[in-house]
Amino acid sequence: MHHFKTLAASTAIVLCASGALAQDSITVAIQLEPPNLDPTGGAAQAIDSVLYANVFEGLTRFDADGAIIRGLAQSWDISDDGLVYTFNLAAGVTFHDGTTMDAEDVKFSLDRARAEDSTNAQKGLFAGITDVTVIDPLTVQVTLDQPNGSFLFNMAWGDAVIVAPESIENIASNPIGTGPFTFTDWVQGDRLELTRNPDYWGPAPALESATFRFISDPTAAFAAVMAEDVDAFVGFPAPENLPQFEADPRFQVLVGNTEGETILSTNNKMPPFDDIRVRKALAHAIDRQAIIDGAMFGYGTPIGTHFAPHNPDYVDLLANSQHDPDLARSLLAEAGFADGFTTTLKLPPPSYARRGGEIIASQLRAVGIETEITNLEWAQWIEEVFTNKDFGLSIVSHTEPMDIGIYANPDYYFQYDNPEFQALMETLNATTDPAMRSNLLAQAQAIISEDYVNGYLFELAVATVAKAGLQGLWVNQPTAAVDLTGVSWSN
Amino acid sequence: MNRNLIIGTALTVLFIALAALSFLWTPADIETLDIPNRLQTPNATNWLGTDHFGRDILSMIMMGARTSIAVALLAVGIGMALGIPLGLLAAARHGSFLDELIMRGNDLVFAFPSLVIAILITAVFGASAVNAIIAIGIFNIPVFARLTRGAALPLWERDFILTARVCGKSATRISIEHILPNITNLMIVQGTIQFSLGILAEAALSYIGLGAQPPTASWGRMLADAQTLVSIAPHVALVPGFAILLMVLGLNLMGDGLRDWLDPRIRIART
């Protein structure tokens, strides 16, 4: 017994000591593990969550509020016709393998991303580029085929980061970028480790090392945070547990915006959803607040179109689709479905989809639409719904920033084909004047809202649960990222 | 009097009665969600409280009992309908190639943990109550086949069977007319035990999302849904947990009780 006490006491001392020393490292949990580590080749958001701003940097970047700020490009000049961008690169930047980052690497990265055989998940970002020219080692000139008001925004995406020809071959398993942290280890299925880059060109981060852990199960996530196994959980998956963390002085809860428009995806090519009256009936059958309360425990902002409510250009179009089951029933009757119909509702794993699906199924049943719910894993969802378009309805959150342009692509999985909208998007892309862009964006939002392309539910909120002493974590998620550059422990 | 049998039967009958009652009446409609009224603790309106969608938990338990009992009953039915004839056949052709074939086939199915087969089947053919029935049914087949063969073999050595054979009855007729009635007790007892395992398997499958799909109520899914709510509304998890516990306990007690009651040797020893 005496020995046990001594042991316990010495363990306590060791724990305190390690606690004091651990102030320059952090363990961050996120829900999904990246399938590979190449942000320029993979579509998975988790790749950016781990690597964006930490390991890889682009010409420009998003800051915590979603504004576009300088990245590797320290300044830029735009020609009067809006076609030529001249970027002045930061001096003295090296990749983690010691090679220098210069204009040649920028040209390599952009040419690789826009190449015919490129596997970049967001090739559209680079579509307008006609030429990339190296002026001198620190100056690079990008020429566009037409003015593009969102070019600097496009260059801030994780898919547009700068990579080097020397290290590109093994990028998927050994990512080498220019960021403040270097990649050290990845134990698949468990964790990924980053270490401070001593040769970083910018201000050194406060943290010496960081470990990412991947915990997908909400119950395990709750346990890991409660037991203080992790210092922070970005994108905490169980909103019902947040009040408990808020009440606990050991933790802080940050609830912020994402760019995630959560929608009831509707297969616009599949009867009866090719009839606008049926889609309008869907929209009026849905009670958004019940979904936000029931699936997200109140976290989330209702949306009436595919646009983020915190964006200054957002137009409130909720009035187009107020909850009105009687109107929904009469619209269905008008479309020839007085007795309702049966369709599929295919749900990916997140709780907004699984719980939201049950709520929507019940709301649709109330107007006569029966749904057959199928729960899918992400890989199955990507295959069945996103790729093969074999679905009637689905629920998913579109987390890419400013992604209203997906409605201009008739092959996108919900298959909305409206030439008027496509023309509007082309005009928008060619417009640089801010006032005119706002106006065009407002029109675009109105068109898809009045066409009831999808059921617009809510803007996904993101919750970060962190230990009380941790500061500098992003509250909002303007892009999928866990930016550790500004994170530190207060004492 | 046999206490196990009474308690076990009472519990089993209670749940079967609840399931039967749910066809006619439930305290509340579980298809309509009432989200503002969610996570209520047990009260006068909702005797067992409400879940995260504001549905009445007692009604969910009643509807869930229906799913559990239907899946387990049909699965045991499949096991008996295929397993008993196979076992009778193997016993009748004892030592033949057919006997070997049936028994090694049994071993093959037995070699896999039963739940793993069930997960495999539902994962490949899609999650639904029907596939859960088939999956649980398949691993019930060898249980009944082996038990039947084991019980039938010594019977084949008995004088009354010999008499029947001398009279010219075919092996099929002897199996049906003489062997089967003599092993019925055993099958009833085993059926009860398998029924309880079926309830557990259904709960396990629907817990991992491979059983009955929403909006069909299921005890396993109620548990899974309540998982993250344990710390804020424990009753949401406790109620379906106890339902599974009591139903399985009831069936096991009933199985034990039935065995004691039906087995003449034990009955005689007691008197």
Side-chain angles (χ1 to χ4, degrees), chain A residues 31 215-226 230 233 236-238 245:
Chain A
Q31 238 197 316
I215 304 174
S216 59
D217 177 58
T219 318
F222 178 72
V225 178
M226 265 296 168
V230 298
F233 202 117
F236 189 77
F245 291 118

Side-chain angles (χ1 to χ4, degrees), chain A residues 322-401:
Chain A
Q322 286 305 336
H323 181 216
D324 187 347
D326 292 329
L327 178 59
R329 269 186 291 267
S330 66
L331 281 164
L332 283 177
E334 208 182 296
F337 294 99
D339 299 327
F341 59 89
T342 303
T343 187
T344 55
L345 178 56
K346 299 195 170 177
L347 306 172
S351 62
Y352 67 72
R354 294 279 167 91
R355 282 190 186 146
E358 281 195 63
I359 300 170
I360 284 182
S362 152
Q363 291 173 353
L364 293 184
R365 197 178 306 120
V367 301
I369 303 173
E370 287 294 328
T371 50
E372 288 163 9
I373 292 182
T374 317
N375 290 338
L376 301 175
E377 293 308 311
W378 271 122
Q380 293 173 299
W381 187 88
I382 296 278
E383 188 189 321
E384 278 184 36
V385 178
F386 195 77
T387 312
N388 296 338
K389 298 156 186 135
D390 173 20
F391 74 109
L393 299 170
S394 180
I395 299 176
V396 72
S397 203
H398 286 254
T399 51
E400 291 83 11

